[in-house]
Amino acid sequence: MKSVLALLTVLSPGAVSLHLPEYTGWFRLDGSMILRGELNAHQSCVHPDFFSDRQRVWSQIDNEITRPLDYLTNSPYSQQPKYLFHCTTKERAKKIAESGVIYASEKSNGGDAFLGDGVYFTAIPADWADPDVVKANNWGWQNIGKYHKYQHRDNAFVRINFDALVNLRWNPEIAFDENKNTNFCVKVPRGDLSVTLPALDAEIWFHPVDHDGDPERFWSAKRGYEPKFAKKRTWKRRVRAS
């Protein structure tokens, strides 16, 4: 069987809008991503068109990839995400819907901006991945305890279109984690990113309590508030949307 890394070197150029050397678009059952450096080990001694339960992989949109090598060579989403996710609390998500912007995280204000000041996103599929995987990716395994300050920071998420973000007319500077290619920081000179830009196709989703079911859409840039939430738009508590 040919090396997966060798196959990756002959991918045709032009489909990737931001070069992500470790990105594969292969996600494990728990939502963690297999990096390019891990591909050969993942497939060792396995027929390229057959994966055992332990080795089965899914796309970011939760479709099982039944022909992984074909996916690597033919799908643009083996080289870049389809979506990015900004994880937050439900209260802060409500403020994002109300204001129409996500404010930048600032290290100088005691934030966790490890890629510098900006609006943070992840490529880990926050809509279906294991909550601990999402939190560990975003804030580190040491910060996922039940009573930690990040406990509820993944109860809601803003989902945007990755390619549209990269190709915005103002050419945003986007930093990313070079080791994992799953964390992104959008530099925003004015201090916020508008979620009402049509191209981003932004949506806000809420997870149920304990993440024991599918998330529910709360708001979208195209349709506004979902009907069941349309009459619940007065929230007295003022929370900075980030």
Side-chain angles (χ1 to χ4, degrees):
M1 182 178 70
K2 292 183 179 180
S3 164
V4 173
L5 295 181
L7 285 172
L8 288 171
T9 63
V10 297
L11 292 178
S12 58
V16 181
S17 52
L18 183 68
H19 180 56
L20 304 173
E22 286 294 327
Y23 195 86
T24 63
W26 283 12
F27 293 88
R28 300 178 181 90
L29 184 60
D30 65 1
S32 59
M33 190 178 75
I34 300 168
L35 304 180
R36 291 194 181 187
E38 301 172 323
L39 291 183
N40 285 332
H42 184 80
Q43 288 199 108
S44 60
C45 302
V46 179
H47 188 279
D49 293 325
F50 175 78
F51 277 50
S52 67
D53 286 345
R54 184 178 179 182
Q55 294 165 311
R56 291 163 64 192
V57 290
W58 281 259
S59 70
Q60 192 193 42
I61 60 173
D62 200 18
N63 290 331
E64 184 170 3
I65 302 172
T66 57
R67 299 182 66 86
L69 297 188
D70 286 347
Y71 187 85
L72 279 177
T73 55
N74 296 318
S75 173
Y77 301 122
S78 69
Q79 301 180 65
Q80 66 179 40
K82 180 177 178 62
Y83 297 115
L84 290 181
F85 302 86
H86 174 81
C87 298
T88 188
T89 65
K90 291 182 179 179
E91 285 299 315
R92 288 176 174 175
K94 291 174 183 177
K95 300 310 298 180
I96 291 171
E98 187 177 278
S99 67
V101 299
I102 306 175
Y103 289 107
S105 295
E106 298 177 355
K107 200 166 187 177
S108 60
N109 288 340
D112 47 13
F114 74 102
L115 292 172
D117 294 352
V119 177
Y120 277 73
F121 292 93
T122 180
I124 297 295
D127 50 349
W128 63 267
D130 184 308
D132 283 349
V133 168
V134 176
K135 284 184 280 194
N137 174 81
N138 292 359
W139 304 293
W141 283 105
Q142 71 275 17
N143 295 321
I144 66 173
K146 184 175 181 181
Y147 300 106
H148 200 276
K149 68 177 182 178
Y150 298 108
Q151 179 183 355
H152 302 296
R153 285 282 295 274
D154 68 333
N155 286 349
F157 59 85
V158 183
R159 190 189 74 184
I160 66 170
N161 183 290
F162 174 83
D163 196 56
L165 173 69
V166 173
N167 290 289
L168 287 174
R169 287 185 297 177
W170 50 281
N171 295 319
E173 178 187 351
I174 303 175
F176 62 89
D177 182 346
E178 294 182 359
N179 294 323
K180 298 186 296 183
N181 293 182
T182 54
N183 294 309
F184 300 81
C185 174
V186 183
K187 308 299 182 177
V188 284
R190 71 177 192 178
D192 60 54
L193 177 68
S194 173
V195 295
T196 62
L197 296 171
L200 295 182
D201 195 20
E203 296 185 348
I204 296 176
W205 293 72
F206 286 174
H207 280 292
V209 177
D210 297 327
H211 292 246
D212 57 356
D214 294 330
E216 184 175 29
R217 186 166 53 211
F218 170 72
W219 173 93
S220 70
K222 288 183 177 179
R223 292 170 290 274
Y225 292 89
E226 291 297 303
K228 70 174 290 184
F229 297 109
K231 296 181 180 180
K232 302 178 181 180
R233 293 174 54 185
T234 302
W235 297 289
K236 295 180 180 180
R237 185 181 177 187
R238 305 297 296 179
V239 180
R240 196 165 186 254
S242 64

